[in-house]
Amino acid sequence: MTFEELTQALNEAMDQEDTLAIERLVAEMQPPDLAEFVRHESPEVSLKLLTHLPLEERAEAFGYLELEKQCELALKMTEEGLSQLFVHMNSDERADLFNELPEERQEGILRRMAQDEREDIRRLASYEEGTAGAVMTSDYVTVPAGVTVGRALDIVRQTAPNAETIYQIYILDQAQQLLGTLSLRQLILAKPEAVVDGLMTTDLVSINVHEEQEEASRLISRYDLLALPVVDDQQRLVGIVTYDDAMDVAEEEATEDIHKSASVGPLDEGFGKARITSLYRRRVNWLVLLVFANILSGAGIAFYEETIEAYVVLVFFLPLLVASGGNAGSQASTLMIRGLATGDVGARDWGKLLSRELVVSASLGLTMAATIAGIGFWRGGMDIAQVVAYSMFAIVVVGSLIGMSLPFMLNKLGWDPATASAPLVTSIADIVGVLIYFAIATSILDLG
């Protein structure tokens, strides 16, 4: 059955309180699908559904839930049940959940776990949020340097059941320093008597445990890795970041950038579950600041009051012109922010990008000026046509250059380029557009 069919059948079974049907349908569901169903249910119903699964599968489905939902369910569980669940969860997921639990609950869980697992949770939970250490897992396969392929395969068989991925094997020296990597394919195809040192790849891509998690995501994407080894300051292997965790980081960062580009603060609980007060707080600050910024547009209009009185027809074109500058600036800003975020462009590209944007924006300005010139002639004659055409060209060029330059400037100052959001760029372009428009009008219409 499809997910939709399973969902409908499970809802019907729950309405009829058919325990046997519920158990069968829950067992049929894939862990991500069950998590999708459970996240919309109450904590009591969610826990009852999850208990129909064997402990290992329950932990897998639990791991697909949002952290907020995990914490909500964890607080409803007994310490014994939660500690058993922790044993079967991925090490990075349980560390994240551990950090969200009250201190007394943390102590209760740790008391019921083996010493190695306690130390692993404490170590992973100690890394600062947003670093590679905070998203890495300690469930990986290592073999010591100098062993034969046959011995390495024995080690893989012993440790594989608890590993998150076994496709990449890491070779360590006696000090636990990372010497190289070996794929499972290479290991299987090699002769049993061969030594792993002669087969491993020593040209390593790794990341320090304290570097930002976004860098881990970029490295995995750039080098097309299944997992990225994480090392400490002594080059000792302390964990790996898997590609699925990197995808979660990339999604989180993309969401954050999209929110910033719209001048919205981060929503920890997600838009669907965000409270009205939270949405209000995340949006009000920038909107109020931009109100004061737009007062400058009004001041510019007031400064050219005599020009407007002499040619009221100019007001007709004002919204069109300033909106065009803001739109062009927003386009340039969006392209630049995304380019900086993905590493496609950097500070070294400033000169080339500036000259290219000048050519592109000039072409756009000429096209839009030609489009509006006819309307200007129809509304006010040749002089008005010249004013709106020249203004359109200048406003589009300046707006585009503002949109391209602002993210660069912020990046140079060490700020997030996404702060150069569309509303901010639009507000600046509006102010500049008003001044350009009426300055050109005053000059051409000889009102100075």
Side-chain angles (χ1 to χ4, degrees), residues 91-155:
S91 58
D92 53 334
E93 292 172 351
R94 69 187 182 190
D96 290 338
L97 176 57
F98 183 81
N99 277 332
E100 295 298 316
L101 295 176
E103 187 175 343
E104 63 274 10
R105 207 70 199 271
Q106 292 178 347
E107 292 301 322
I109 293 167
L110 293 176
R111 282 196 303 268
R112 289 170 168 79
M113 299 187 75
Q115 183 176 353
D116 289 346
E117 289 168 339
R118 286 202 303 268
E119 291 176 356
D120 182 67
I121 290 176
R122 283 183 173 134
R123 181 172 61 87
L124 292 179
S126 67
Y127 292 111
E128 185 179 351
E129 189 68 27
T131 62
V135 294
M136 72 181 184
T137 177
S138 58
D139 299 330
Y140 51 89
V141 178
T142 66
V143 297
V147 301
T148 63
V149 168
R151 175 57 185 149
L153 282 170
D154 289 337
I155 295 173

Side-chain angles (χ1 to χ4, degrees), residues 307 311 313-314 317 321 369 372-373 376-377 381-395 436-447:
T307 301
Y311 290 87
V313 68
L314 294 173
F317 295 97
L321 290 166
I372 198 176
F377 181 79
M382 183 55 71
D383 287 345
I384 298 299
Q386 284 183 304
V387 169
V388 294
Y390 292 159
S391 297
M392 177 64 83
F393 175 80
I395 288 171
I436 289 174
Y437 178 38
F438 287 117
I440 290 175
T442 302
S443 176
I444 291 179
L445 301 175
D446 198 23
L447 295 171

Side-chain angles (χ1 to χ4, degrees), residues 301-324:
I301 293 172
F303 183 79
Y304 289 102
E305 205 169 315
E306 294 181 4
T307 301
I308 296 171
E309 287 178 356
Y311 290 87
V312 178
V313 68
L314 294 173
V315 177
F316 175 82
F317 295 97
L318 180 60
L320 186 153
L321 290 166
V322 296
S324 297

